Amino acid sequence: MENTKKVAANAATAFIANGDLRLSNHFKLREFTLSGAAIRYNLDNTPTTVEVERLRALCVNVLEPLRHRFGVLRITSGYRSERVNKIVGGAVRSQHRLGEAADIHVSSLEVAQKMCHFVKEHLDFDQLILESVAKTGARWIHVSYKATGNRREFFTLKR
């Protein structure tokens, strides 16, 4: 019996590691774990089963409704292991570390504003941040979701 549990755990870990795990209708784990920093520095960026379940909740409760309303979403940052988070300069207590956050590429300020408005008006969320880099013009939306205790914080952040 003990050996069966180990085999099942190893199989689940391997399935999670390969990224084919479907989190929701339109999102696979691979979209949330693929990281240039992890590739560059040969770091493991595999979430635990608890973190995968948090990513699933984020997808079901926030990202799927956004996709339904706005079409295909490009996730630029999802789950980050501790080492990956440190390399990319993420906050020590980043919700990316917990599997509770994703950054979404937006094509324009107008699209970003419409997406933020939709989230604020129709969805439960913990944090919603419209971020931009003045020097490059890059924009993205950071959105996080927790199973309980969502704060519904919204703000803009310019770098």
Side-chain angles (χ1 to χ4, degrees), residues 122 132 134:
H122 301 286
S132 63

mmCIF file of all heavy atoms in Angstrom, residues 122 132 134:
data_model
loop_
_atom_site.group_PDB
_atom_site.id
_atom_site.type_symbol
_atom_site.label_atom_id
_atom_site.label_comp_id
_atom_site.label_asym_id
_atom_site.label_seq_id
_atom_site.Cartn_x
_atom_site.Cartn_y
_atom_site.Cartn_z
ATOM 1 N N HIS A 122 -17.154 42.833 -11.897
ATOM 2 C CA HIS A 122 -17.810 41.528 -12.036
ATOM 3 C C HIS A 122 -17.144 40.356 -11.325
ATOM 4 O O HIS A 122 -17.766 39.291 -11.223
ATOM 5 C CB HIS A 122 -17.931 41.171 -13.524
ATOM 6 C CG HIS A 122 -18.702 42.173 -14.310
ATOM 7 N ND1 HIS A 122 -20.070 42.285 -14.227
ATOM 8 C CD2 HIS A 122 -18.284 43.129 -15.174
ATOM 9 C CE1 HIS A 122 -20.472 43.256 -15.022
ATOM 10 N NE2 HIS A 122 -19.422 43.799 -15.603
ATOM 11 N N SER A 132 2.958 49.543 -15.562
ATOM 12 C CA SER A 132 3.569 49.993 -16.811
ATOM 13 C C SER A 132 4.999 50.442 -16.565
ATOM 14 O O SER A 132 5.380 50.793 -15.453
ATOM 15 C CB SER A 132 2.757 51.138 -17.426
ATOM 16 O OG SER A 132 2.753 52.256 -16.565
ATOM 17 N N ALA A 134 7.418 53.245 -18.080
ATOM 18 C CA ALA A 134 7.405 54.448 -18.914
ATOM 19 C C ALA A 134 8.453 54.393 -20.021
ATOM 20 O O ALA A 134 8.179 54.778 -21.164
ATOM 21 C CB ALA A 134 7.621 55.687 -18.048
#
